[in-house]
Amino acid sequence: MTVASALAEWLSKIESLSIDTNHITDGSDKYGLFKAPNRDIKNHIDGSYEITEYYDFFARQASVSQSDRQDSDEWLENLSYMADDAGTIYELPDLDGNRRVISITLTGAPYVMESGSNEVLYHMSISVTYEREREV
């Protein structure tokens, strides 16, 4: 399983969402997770290493009424807290292939990326740090 798939599955379990990877469909209450092009690596003496990968999470929410927009703000705030509590309240996702998730962090506050008459596209950046043991 890819890290992106594990992250999408983890977010889906906690928030009961259906999240596409590398795609977001039209319509409200649609979600997409895209891998960003940057990656950080920290090598350890024992041959293992830590990898931090970055992801862009998009949420398309209804914005017809003021209450829709307030609901979206509250939902995004709660999603931010969920990311803050990753590893303490919420169990981190499982990975295969000698990999173990160390942390999930919200690296940027949710913001409006695009606004239309009926929907708003929100964006937030998420980092996942995991450890991988090399096979020797």
Side-chain angles (χ1 to χ4, degrees), residues 13-71:
K13 281 182 193 175
I14 293 171
E15 285 291 319
S16 300
L17 307 174
S18 177
I19 301 171
D20 290 330
T21 53
N22 300 316
H23 178 75
I24 184 167
T25 56
D26 290 335
S28 60
D29 298 326
K30 304 296 182 186
Y31 309 94
L33 185 68
F34 297 78
K35 189 172 183 176
N38 45 343
R39 181 179 184 216
D40 300 322
I41 295 177
K42 184 190 315 179
N43 290 301
H44 298 290
I45 295 172
D46 65 0
S48 66
Y49 59 106
E50 280 182 24
I51 302 166
T52 301
E53 294 181 349
Y54 301 89
Y55 294 85
D56 294 314
F57 178 71
F58 295 94
R60 194 180 309 274
Q61 300 283 328
S63 67
V64 175
S65 68
Q66 178 64 22
S67 68
D68 286 339
R69 293 185 292 278
Q70 287 174 333
D71 289 347

Side-chain angles (χ1 to χ4, degrees), residues 6-136:
L7 180 58
E9 185 177 297
W10 180 77
L11 288 165
S12 295
K13 281 182 193 175
I14 293 171
E15 285 291 319
S16 300
L17 307 174
S18 177
I19 301 171
D20 290 330
T21 53
N22 300 316
H23 178 75
I24 184 167
T25 56
D26 290 335
S28 60
D29 298 326
K30 304 296 182 186
Y31 309 94
L33 185 68
F34 297 78
K35 189 172 183 176
N38 45 343
R39 181 179 184 216
D40 300 322
I41 295 177
K42 184 190 315 179
N43 290 301
H44 298 290
I45 295 172
D46 65 0
S48 66
Y49 59 106
E50 280 182 24
I51 302 166
T52 301
E53 294 181 349
Y54 301 89
Y55 294 85
D56 294 314
F57 178 71
F58 295 94
R60 194 180 309 274
Q61 300 283 328
S63 67
V64 175
S65 68
Q66 178 64 22
S67 68
D68 286 339
R69 293 185 292 278
Q70 287 174 333
D71 289 347
S72 292
D73 283 344
E74 183 177 348
W75 179 82
L76 286 166
E77 189 174 283
N78 289 334
L79 189 62
S80 298
Y81 294 145
M82 184 209 61
D84 293 344
D85 296 339
T88 54
I89 294 174
Y90 301 103
E91 191 173 313
L92 294 169
D94 290 324
L95 296 174
D96 56 6
N98 296 325
R99 300 175 299 170
R100 177 182 63 87
V101 174
I102 298 169
S103 67
I104 296 173
T105 308
L106 185 65
T107 57
Y111 69 92
V112 175
M113 185 168 182
E114 181 181 294
S115 180
S117 58
N118 295 325
E119 300 169 348
V120 173
L121 181 64
Y122 294 97
H123 172 258
M124 63 189 337
S125 298
I126 300 171
S127 71
V128 177
T129 301
Y130 62 96
E131 184 177 63
R132 180 176 182 265
E133 293 181 28
R134 290 184 170 93
E135 294 181 30
V136 259

